[in-house]
Amino acid sequence: MIVRLAEGTLQTRFGTFTQILYYDGQKEIIALVMGDIAHKKNVLCRVHSHCISAHIFNSIECDCREQMEMAQRLIQEAGSGLIIWLDQEGKNNGHLALLQSRKLKDEGLSQTEAYVKLGYLADARNYRRAAEILHELKIQSITLMTNNPEKVSQLRNDGLIIAGIQQLIINHP
Ligand SMILES: [Zn+2]
């Protein structure tokens, strides 16, 4: 169960959003909202898990930062939408697992293979909190911004009502 604790505006390079902070007894979850989304269908939505490497250390090994920027830009262009930020670093195995897997990745294993070999789950993320937040914000359905078709079925299994998909095309320099 989630509790809504606080909210406040945030000015960004992509316009002014409202941060709504929820707590589930263990972790904070933040909905970054723009515009009028209550009772709407096909609300532009990104469900974004934390990535220390990209968001803190400017890593160029993943697209997390670019995907966040593009999601914010698309929401700004549409005039409304939201991003749900989940504290699920390293596919929710944590940053320790991410660092432990590094050597195996350098040896040629995929991230998933490395996690499994180390005894972690291939993907420990879950999206039930995101579904609860969409319900709490009275959103009827979303257009999910993602490039990952597997994530769509995972999110649907966790209760999100996904009416459409919007790809995030990242142009690397
Ligand atoms: Zn990342």
Side-chain angles (χ1 to χ4, degrees):
M1 207 189 70
I2 49 161
V3 194
R4 185 171 175 152
L5 291 184
E7 66 176 80
T9 58
L10 180 70
Q11 293 178 50
T12 77
R13 290 195 278 123
F14 307 100
T16 302
F17 288 79
T18 299
Q19 296 186 76
I20 306 173
L21 190 145
Y22 297 88
Y23 185 63
D24 71 357
Q26 291 186 311
K27 287 182 171 182
E28 295 176 339
I29 309 118
I30 299 170
L32 189 70
V33 176
M34 181 182 280
D36 197 8
I37 53 173
H39 308 290
K40 296 273 164 56
K41 291 179 179 161
N42 297 299
V43 174
L44 261 186
C45 178
R46 170 144 185 92
V47 178
H48 193 92
S49 293
H50 193 48
C51 177
I52 290 170
S53 303
H55 294 298
I56 308 293
F57 298 134
N58 293 310
S59 165
I60 54 170
E61 297 186 7
C62 63
D63 287 338
C64 300
R65 191 170 61 86
E66 288 82 1
Q67 290 188 6
M68 174 62 83
E69 288 181 358
M70 180 143 297
Q72 286 183 279
R73 183 175 295 124
L74 289 171
I75 289 170
Q76 183 183 37
E77 285 170 8
S80 65
L82 80 162
I83 294 161
I84 298 175
W85 172 84
L86 299 167
D87 185 7
Q88 300 197 121
E89 174 74 10
K91 295 195 195 294
N92 209 20
N93 288 315
H95 204 67
L96 173 63
L98 197 66
L99 284 187
Q100 288 173 331
S101 67
R102 182 67 214 207
K103 194 162 169 287
L104 294 172
K105 279 180 73 184
D106 289 342
E107 290 168 9
L109 269 65
S110 72
Q111 184 68 66
T112 301
E113 291 165 344
Y115 280 147
V116 170
K117 189 162 185 184
L118 289 164
Y120 294 102
L121 292 174
D123 189 343
R125 290 176 293 185
N126 83 69
Y127 301 100
R128 286 188 298 276
R129 298 305 182 217
E132 288 173 31
I133 286 172
L134 293 177
H135 184 70
E136 203 270 336
L137 292 171
K138 300 182 171 57
I139 292 167
Q140 294 194 357
S141 67
I142 59 170
T143 295
L144 185 72
M145 293 183 276
T146 184
N147 296 327
N148 181 357
E150 284 172 23
K151 193 170 164 187
V152 176
S153 52
Q154 208 180 338
L155 287 158
R156 281 188 172 133
N157 287 339
D158 282 335
L160 280 80
I161 300 168
I162 301 170
I165 312 288
Q166 164 78 57
Q167 289 220 323
L168 297 172
I169 309 297
I170 310 295
N171 294 312
H172 284 285

